[in-house]
Amino acid sequence: MDDRTNTIAGWVLAGCAAALGLTIASGMIFHSGAPDKPGYPVEGAVEAGGGGAAAAVPIATLLASADVAKGAEVFKKCAACHTVNQGGANGIGPNLWGVLGKKHGHIPGFAYSGALTGVAGNWDFDAMNAWLTSPRKYAPGTKMTFAGLGSAEDRANVIAYLNSQGSNLPLPAAPAAGAAPAEGAEANAAAPEGNVADEGKPADSADVVNAATPASGAPSVDPAAAEQAAKKGR
């Protein structure tokens, strides 16, 4: 009986030792640590602080170097709901031929959401950029479920592609980088109150002289200096 008990105890200890060894070995091979970035990636979402520089670039600047061919590739994400050819049928979304420059909800008979048709203005370049960034933010309550394009370059390329499909609007002029302040701003800021320089020109020299003239009744010459001059003249 003792031998049997010792045998069972030995097997139990051996099993525990084996389990402990496997745990240590698996921990060395399969390291489980906290992920670098928690959560799951969502297509179209823009990370906070990671694309801020690109988002800050005006769409007019990006359109100047936009690639229509690349825009056609990106548009394939939209082709499940939209056609873009002339006379194309409406799908889940409306046909987009010649959409730029048109008012929101311009296709007769299509069941646009009131959230979209209630947006004032037309589909200009800025409006289309805002819509492609986040349809839900552009028109809260819209029926469109697309999350948006997180890349500003992708948006510019798609807009250029859409513009080539029946709209052909002239591209907006890109704003000048680091525009200089208006001429004369520094001169006007430096001019004294009541004597502001006109259109950036310096104040007239006569005005400066008059500004330095003593008030009426004040001695124009130092009395001591005048007395000395009188003595020398005698």
Side-chain angles (χ1 to χ4, degrees):
M1 190 69 179
D2 292 338
D3 292 340
R4 185 177 179 182
T5 302
N6 291 336
T7 301
I8 294 173
W11 279 109
V12 171
L13 290 174
C16 292
L20 180 60
L22 288 173
T23 301
I24 295 173
S26 62
M28 295 175 64
I29 297 173
F30 303 103
H31 175 69
S32 59
D36 294 335
K37 294 182 179 180
Y40 299 93
V42 179
E43 183 179 358
V46 182
E47 290 186 29
V57 178
I59 190 62
T61 300
L62 296 174
L63 283 171
S65 59
D67 190 319
V68 172
K70 290 182 179 179
E73 288 297 313
V74 179
F75 184 80
K76 291 179 179 179
K77 298 180 180 180
C78 313
C81 299
H82 297 276
T83 59
V84 73
N85 56 305
Q86 186 174 13
N90 296 323
I92 298 174
N95 174 263
L96 298 178
W97 172 263
V99 64
L100 282 167
K102 301 290 181 63
K103 67 177 183 179
H104 298 88
H106 64 282
I107 296 181
F110 185 82
Y112 294 98
S113 66
L116 183 59
T117 56
V119 177
N122 296 343
W123 285 118
D124 58 21
F125 294 103
D126 287 323
M128 185 62 72
N129 179 54
W131 169 259
L132 292 175
T133 301
S134 176
R136 295 186 188 93
K137 289 183 179 180
Y138 184 79
T142 179
K143 294 187 293 185
M144 185 161 174
T145 58
F146 182 61
L149 295 173
S151 168
E153 287 76 13
D154 282 352
R155 295 195 300 272
N157 291 336
V158 168
I159 293 171
Y161 172 68
L162 289 175
N163 190 44
S164 71
Q165 303 300 305
S167 298
N168 300 313
L169 300 180
L171 296 180
E183 290 185 8
E186 294 182 2
N188 289 337
E193 184 178 357
N195 187 32
V196 178
D198 181 27
E199 297 183 359
K201 296 179 182 179
D204 189 271
S205 58
D207 294 335
V208 176
V209 172
N210 291 336
T213 302
S216 177
S220 58
V221 182
D222 185 0
E227 184 178 354
Q228 292 179 0
K231 291 180 179 180
K232 290 180 180 181
R234 289 175 185 174

